[in-house]
Amino acid sequence: MARKTEVQDAETAGSKSARTRKRLLDAAAVVLARRGYAGTRLSDIAEEAHVQAPAIYYYYPSREDLIEEVMHVGAAAMYSHLRDAMDALPPGAPPHTRIAAAVEAHLRNELELSDYARAIIRNGNQLPEVVGKRARAQITAYNDIWRGLIADLAEAGQLRDGLDASVARMLVLGALNWAAEWFDPERGSLEEAISTAQSMVLYALRP
């Protein structure tokens, strides 16, 4: 049986390793959001994480393995954030209220809360198949929530006649994603951006 100090040493080492892995993931998310997939170098990630670049290989065999993990973790977190926002609404909340909440959840996560969300939004379409496979499964689940929101709006008779629900969903998400490129908190508040987006999205979708 291992002595108590040996167990504690093992637990401390494991905890330190987990913290370092998280620091590397967080740093990679920052660099990916800033520089994009093609411009992300391990040396930049190491500098952001305050580690020596060769140390990264202790945790991840390659640049692609690290980026793949970031994208998977980020996409899963985006899905959970939106799901939690929907679950926090009162039971029976009308479709337009749910869509307004989804708009806020998306923009707040993208622009305020998560470098991972920005990394996903800016790089999701740039990744090789093997790097983006797990993330795309989570992104599909995320899109399915939006698909359901617009379907509910249509079922309630509140979707504008002549709109293709699939096209409408992609246009809404495309517009929300683009906010990562232009939003500047020094030129306008996030609350104003969210309120404006909610108004425009609902005006465009409803009769």
Side-chain angles (χ1 to χ4, degrees):
M1 180 177 178
R3 291 180 302 173
K4 184 176 181 181
T5 54
E6 292 173 343
V7 173
Q8 289 172 334
D9 288 346
E11 290 175 347
T12 299
S15 178
K16 181 179 179 181
S17 176
R19 289 197 301 270
T20 302
R21 286 178 68 91
K22 184 178 187 308
R23 192 160 76 247
L24 288 172
L25 287 175
D26 290 347
V30 170
V31 176
L32 279 165
R34 184 186 303 148
R35 297 178 179 269
Y37 174 74
T40 293
R41 301 178 301 176
L42 286 180
S43 58
D44 298 322
I45 296 171
E47 181 179 356
E48 183 72 28
H50 305 292
V51 302
Q52 296 296 316
I56 294 176
Y57 292 105
Y58 178 80
Y59 299 94
Y60 297 97
S62 70
R63 168 183 176 270
E64 284 66 32
D65 285 299
L66 174 53
I67 292 174
E68 193 276 341
E69 183 72 6
V70 170
M71 300 302 284
H72 171 61
V73 169
M78 279 187 69
Y79 171 81
S80 295
H81 182 77
L82 180 57
R83 183 76 274 160
D84 289 346
M86 296 297 95
D87 290 345
L89 293 172
H96 71 273
T97 298
R98 293 171 61 79
I99 289 174
V103 169
E104 177 174 6
H106 187 100
L107 288 179
R108 196 172 294 282
N109 200 29
E110 170 190 2
L111 301 178
E112 180 183 54
L113 301 178
S114 176
D115 291 312
Y116 288 83
R118 286 187 291 278
I120 290 287
I121 287 166
R122 287 181 165 171
N123 297 281
N125 293 326
Q126 302 178 28
L127 302 176
E129 177 62 28
V130 67
V131 177
K133 185 176 181 180
R134 286 199 300 165
R136 290 191 183 100
Q138 294 290 340
I139 292 169
T140 296
Y142 187 91
N143 289 337
D144 284 344
I145 295 177
W146 276 93
R147 188 175 288 108
L149 291 171
I150 294 179
D152 289 345
L153 193 71
E155 186 176 346
Q158 297 177 22
L159 184 67
R160 182 180 297 183
D161 289 342
L163 287 188
D164 182 299
S166 179
V167 173
R169 172 180 56 83
M170 289 186 287
L171 286 171
V172 167
L173 285 173
L176 296 178
N177 288 344
W178 188 247
E181 303 295 334
W182 58 259
F183 178 73
D184 181 351
E186 294 184 358
R187 300 177 62 181
S189 75
L190 177 59
E191 304 305 325
E192 290 173 343
I194 290 171
S195 177
T196 300
Q198 290 171 324
S199 178
M200 293 182 69
V201 166
L202 292 173
Y203 182 83
L205 292 176
R206 295 189 296 176

